[in-house]
Amino acid sequence: MKQTFSMELAGRTLSVDIGRVAAQANGAALMHYGDTTVLSTATASDKPREGIDFFPLSVEFEEKMYSVGKIPGGFNKREGKASENAVLTARVIDRPMRPLFPKDYRNDVTLNNLVLSVDPENRPELVAMLGSAIATSISDIPFSGPCATTQIGMENGEFIVNPCQKSWDEGDLQLTVASTSEKVIMIEAGANEIKEDKMIEAIYMAHEINQTIIAFINEIVAAVGKEKHTYTSCAITEEMFEAIRKIVPPERMEEAVFTDEKQKREENIRQITEECEEAFADREEWLEVLGEAIYQYQKKTVRKMILQDHKRPDGRAINQIRPLAAEVDLIPRVHGSAMFTRGQTQICTITTLAPLSDMQRVDGLDENIVNKRYMHHYNFPSYSVGETKPSRGPGRREIGHGALAEKALVPVLPSEEEFPYAIRTVSETFESNGSTSQASICASSMSLMAAGVPIKKPVAGISCGLVTGETDEDYIVLTDIQGLEDFFGDMDFKVAGTRDGITAIQMDIKIHGLTRPIVEEAIARTREARLYILDEVMAKAIEAPRPEVGKYAPKIISMQIDPQKIGDVVGQRGKTINAIIEETGVRIDITDDGTVSICGTDAEMMEKARKYVEIIVTDFEAGQIFTGKVVSIKEFGAFIEFAPGKEGMVHISKIAKERIKRVEDVLTLGDMVTVVCLGKDKMGRISFSMKDVKDKK
């Protein structure tokens, strides 16, 4: 039976159809926000997946081109793999919802969001976030929700709730906040150097709006919600924990995990695991979950020592950053390079510059194709954590980390007019022990400066962690978490920015939300650490952008021509422009507004190409002096090519001051000569004189 529920949200109507479609899913909600329509479904398997020690949740955001009236490009004319935007949207849905499922739940769960139509005033990403929460809440899948999500933009210093796509893209803030009925559970932000207090204000503005949405979801659940199904718990029994503690007393586990060397700690745990395997040889059911049991034992040990004794695994103080190092120019011949090291986390970023024509074209659920001028890519090879596996290209995590760094750096990039280059930075993870995404921001900022990109200010990033106790007041915030503290802690709160404000935030947690004091303390801690990294580490490696791009980077000359002259420069079937390119070895790009970009590494050849273009677009007038090559000789005169594809004729009578019988007596094919323009003859051809050059100089 179909039921429709609606509420007013940010001045627009959000409506939800339940029971209208997808009845075989555990939960389904047909979402409408303006004309944006998304079908959100939640489904779960009947039984737990065997042999796993994690909750198998998958989230999909399916962008269908019919939703914006387009046919997909490419040969097959159908949607292919998920776009970067779809991957990032799925991650933002996953992060707040995952902690709300039972920790011992091992049934496969899929949250699918099918975008059916898009109204530019109402972003489908937000609708999918709300739809997933509603579909899961009304389903029979165990879930400690509901949760809700609100997006905040900012224009002219004023906040905008759930902004349209244009305001979202062009504003100074892109903030997404998810909440439960009590606490903030997820934060994702890109910002144009927003002050910390302003960011906190925006976060809690979104949190308050989320409470009205949660009340709306609760009404839907009360009306159509299903009873939650029972499931097979995969929790480790207390009997097994007791048996492990007899083999490995708590003090031995503390000694095993509390070391600043990741490899030593892993060796300690390996030995402990082998001892337990021998002891439990006749308990097959325990052997199947031994890895998870040892993991939880480590987790309890680390959390106890941090929370009660304020002791971290590597001996650092609660607010202490690991040893830092930074250097630039370690890779020869590339356009820019820098390496940033924090403890056992090491990132090398390489910058590449190219003409604007190399910008990435992104065809998504927008009205127009978007050109991305700046691209940041992040790679995480298995050797960085001492493992071995084949490289299969970037996964969702790598795409997410790359997008976070890109978001952090975009606000400080120069405009196209200031710096007419497409820019790509690639962060290679050489070693990883926590917070590689923030190290990549630091390395990328330095790499850009080393490449001569005139960024407005350097950007640094740092991450804070959290360990909580039994009450909201019982917690410890940790500055610069390493891998162990991330795995066993409750939070990974990443903040990047300049000395003057925040440019990006990404907060992931494993508990049911954060109180406001925790959020405020984490943001304050990251600011303190960020300023230290900028001033005491990065500035000592490279203080400011270099005044020019490097020796091996392409140089670009930009010039403006009359758009009506573009055809003259290009020539018939590209003959003229290709001739210039072939002769000079440069690359030439022309935009519809008449902007000409000449790109190359040889300054002399670039200038030659510029002069050619200038000659071609200049209206020919009597008295202009040109130098050209004799390309054709006739009885009546010679044709002179003074620019690729541009010729004029010197009549035999204008070749020399004295009378000559044959053109060949003075000129040979290939001769370079200087001529003066006499205007155009009756046939519209450019007429030159050689003998009058001196008189016209």
Side-chain angles (χ1 to χ4, degrees):
M1 178 180 173
K2 174 193 169 185
Q3 294 190 56
T4 299
F5 304 84
S6 62
M7 70 172 290
E8 290 303 303
L9 181 60
R12 288 153 282 171
T13 300
L14 174 72
S15 64
V16 185
D17 293 339
I18 306 296
R20 185 175 182 181
V21 295
Q24 295 189 51
N26 294 63
L30 186 61
M31 307 289 296
H32 308 274
Y33 197 27
D35 285 339
T36 294
T37 305
V38 177
L39 172 61
S40 298
T41 58
T43 52
S45 61
D46 294 333
K47 297 178 181 179
R49 192 195 302 182
E50 294 183 1
I52 61 170
D53 57 2
F54 61 92
F55 168 45
L57 171 67
S58 62
V59 181
E60 304 297 335
F61 179 75
E62 296 189 37
E63 297 174 312
K64 298 297 184 179
M65 300 306 285
Y66 57 66
S67 67
V68 289
K70 294 181 182 179
I71 294 176
F75 181 78
N76 290 326
K77 296 298 178 186
R78 68 179 299 161
E79 290 82 4
K81 69 175 185 178
S83 70
E84 186 172 296
N85 179 68
V87 170
L88 297 175
T89 301
R91 281 171 57 86
V92 172
I93 295 170
D94 181 300
R95 283 162 36 209
M97 295 189 65
R98 185 177 290 271
L100 300 179
F101 289 93
K103 294 186 183 300
D104 57 345
Y105 193 53
R106 297 293 180 265
N107 297 47
D108 284 277
V109 173
T110 298
L111 307 181
N112 190 280
N113 297 276
L114 177 64
V115 181
L116 297 167
S117 69
V118 176
D119 168 4
E121 295 297 311
N122 302 285
R123 303 184 66 246
E125 293 85 353
L126 173 69
V127 181
M129 294 171 201
L130 296 175
S132 286
I134 292 172
T136 308
S137 295
I138 65 173
S139 75
D140 61 345
I141 302 170
F143 183 65
S144 300
C147 59
T149 305
T150 294
Q151 295 185 319
I152 303 290
M154 188 168 74
E155 289 182 347
N156 301 317
E158 298 295 324
F159 294 134
I160 305 169
V161 178
N162 295 343
C164 66
Q165 190 65 52
K166 186 173 186 295
S167 295
W168 182 257
D169 291 338
E170 298 177 2
D172 290 323
L173 178 64
Q174 296 179 342
L175 173 66
T176 302
V177 178
S179 309
T180 63
S181 59
E182 297 178 345
K183 301 172 183 177
V184 170
I185 196 167
M186 192 279 299
I187 302 170
E188 178 89 13
N192 189 11
E193 293 186 282
I194 301 293
K195 296 290 186 183
E196 278 74 8
D197 57 349
K198 193 75 172 176
M199 183 65 77
I200 292 171
E201 180 185 349
I203 290 170
Y204 281 91
M205 177 183 183
H207 178 62
E208 289 302 315
I209 295 168
N210 281 338
Q211 302 314 303
T212 65
I213 301 171
I214 288 171
F216 171 62
I217 297 174
N218 281 331
E219 291 177 11
I220 300 174
V221 174
V224 299
K226 301 176 183 177
E227 182 180 352
K228 299 302 182 183
H229 66 234
T230 58
Y231 64 93
T232 303
S233 173
C234 294
I236 306 300
T237 64
E238 186 56 36
E239 180 190 2
M240 183 175 180
F241 273 128
E242 239 353 275
I244 293 174
R245 278 192 285 265
K246 288 179 180 178
I247 300 167
V248 186
E251 56 273 15
R252 184 182 170 196
M253 181 59 82
E254 289 177 13
E255 184 180 342
V257 298
F258 277 76
T259 173
D260 59 354
E261 291 185 31
K262 180 181 175 183
Q263 290 82 359
K264 184 178 179 181
R265 181 173 60 249
E266 290 176 348
E267 176 60 23
N268 293 341
I269 298 303
R270 186 188 64 79
Q271 292 178 8
I272 286 172
T273 304
E274 287 181 355
E275 290 179 33
C276 291
E277 286 174 342
E278 291 178 9
F280 302 153
D282 58 344
R283 299 293 298 267
E284 185 176 342
E285 73 280 10
W286 285 8
L287 290 175
E288 290 178 355
V289 294
L290 180 59
E292 174 69 7
I294 296 294
Y295 173 87
Q296 290 190 22
Y297 193 6
Q298 291 181 75
K299 183 174 182 177
K300 290 178 181 179
T301 302
V302 171
R303 293 174 65 86
K304 169 184 170 292
M305 294 296 288
I306 290 174
L307 195 61
Q308 295 181 8
D309 303 332
H310 293 191
K311 181 181 177 182
R312 301 178 72 170
D314 56 5
R316 279 183 292 147
I318 296 302
N319 62 349
Q320 185 179 353
I321 304 173
R322 287 172 286 174
L324 301 170
E327 59 180 301
V328 297
D329 303 331
L330 67 159
I331 311 285
R333 300 188 72 89
V334 299
H335 302 164
S337 65
M339 188 163 70
F340 183 83
T341 305
R342 185 195 300 119
Q344 289 183 300
T345 290
Q346 189 177 65
I347 296 283
C348 178
T349 296
I350 294 90
T351 297
T352 305
L353 306 178
L356 289 171
S357 57
D358 279 354
M359 290 190 293
Q360 182 182 9
R361 290 165 58 86
V362 181
D363 189 9
L365 301 187
D366 297 305
E367 293 180 327
N368 303 307
I369 293 175
V370 176
N371 288 320
K372 278 184 65 175
R373 175 197 175 209
Y374 175 61
M375 298 150 278
H376 184 282
H377 297 145
Y378 165 98
N379 296 315
F380 190 85
S382 58
Y383 63 74
S384 66
V385 288
E387 296 177 356
T388 175
K389 64 178 180 179
S391 176
R392 303 296 187 197
R396 293 193 168 195
R397 178 181 178 276
E398 285 85 352
I399 291 172
H401 280 7
L404 178 61
E406 184 174 294
K407 192 181 296 183
L409 290 160
V410 163
V412 301
L413 294 176
S415 66
E416 289 183 19
E417 291 72 27
E418 295 173 291
F419 194 71
Y421 287 87
I423 308 165
R424 180 184 185 229
T425 49
V426 179
S427 292
E428 302 288 359
T429 306
F430 286 172
E431 189 177 2
S432 173
N433 189 15
S435 202
T436 51
S437 66
Q438 301 308 286
S440 76
I441 292 169
C442 301
S444 299
S445 182
M446 294 189 296
S447 180
L448 288 165
M449 291 192 287
V453 180
I455 62 173
K456 299 167 189 174
K457 300 168 189 175
V459 179
I462 194 72
S463 179
C464 274
L466 175 74
V467 177
T468 56
E470 297 298 322
T471 67
D472 286 347
E473 291 72 32
D474 186 16
Y475 67 87
I476 291 288
V477 174
L478 305 170
T479 300
D480 179 27
I481 54 172
Q482 60 174 314
L484 192 70
E485 294 165 332
D486 184 7
F487 300 149
F488 298 151
D490 297 321
M491 173 182 79
D492 185 4
F493 201 132
K494 310 179 185 82
V495 182
T498 67
R499 292 180 181 86
D500 298 318
I502 294 170
T503 58
I505 294 178
Q506 187 176 93
M507 185 198 83
D508 299 322
I509 62 173
K510 302 169 187 173
I511 54 176
H512 290 193
L514 303 181
T515 62
R516 183 162 182 160
I518 293 175
V519 173
E520 291 179 347
E521 183 175 346
I523 288 177
R525 285 276 197 91
T526 55
R527 171 175 168 76
E528 178 186 339
R530 184 172 80 240
L531 295 181
Y532 176 81
I533 293 169
L534 286 168
D535 295 335
E536 299 300 323
V537 183
M538 292 171 57
K540 292 179 180 178
I542 182 166
E543 192 169 4
R546 289 181 172 143
E548 296 180 351
V549 298
K551 174 182 177 182
Y552 297 103
K555 314 310 186 279
I556 294 178
I557 296 175
S558 290
M559 58 188 297
Q560 199 71 31
I561 66 172
D562 183 344
Q564 294 184 352
K565 300 276 189 176
I566 293 174
D568 295 339
V569 177
V570 174
Q572 188 175 16
R573 297 181 180 177
K575 180 180 177 181
T576 302
I577 195 169
N578 287 334
I580 298 174
I581 292 169
E582 184 176 352
E583 182 177 339
T584 61
V586 302
R587 176 171 172 173
I588 301 176
D589 297 310
I590 308 176
T591 60
D592 292 340
D593 65 354
T595 301
V596 180
S597 295
I598 300 169
C599 177
T601 55
D602 187 324
E604 184 178 341
M605 289 294 102
M606 291 172 65
E607 180 59 22
K608 187 175 184 179
R610 187 196 66 78
K611 286 183 178 178
Y612 279 153
V613 173
E614 194 174 66
I615 289 170
I616 292 168
V617 301
T618 300
D619 290 325
F620 303 107
E621 298 177 358
Q624 291 175 317
I625 305 294
F626 297 103
T627 298
K629 181 169 66 174
V630 178
V631 293
S632 179
I633 294 177
K634 306 293 183 183
E635 290 182 3
F636 53 82
F639 286 90
I640 312 298
E641 185 181 61
F642 58 96
K646 294 294 179 181
E647 298 178 2
M649 190 193 76
V650 181
H651 191 268
I652 190 171
S653 64
K654 297 293 183 180
I655 292 176
K657 290 189 177 293
E658 65 278 6
R659 180 181 175 82
I660 62 173
K661 293 183 179 180
R662 297 169 63 245
V663 175
E664 291 90 337
D665 292 341
V666 178
L667 297 176
T668 304
L669 286 176
D671 285 351
M672 298 300 296
V673 297
T674 302
V675 295
V676 60
C677 183
L678 301 178
K680 293 186 177 181
D681 61 20
K682 294 179 181 179
M683 298 177 65
R685 296 176 303 190
I686 300 168
S687 181
F688 287 143
S689 170
M690 290 173 58
K691 71 179 185 180
D692 298 320
V693 169
K694 291 183 180 180
D695 297 336
K696 295 293 181 180
K697 284 185 179 179

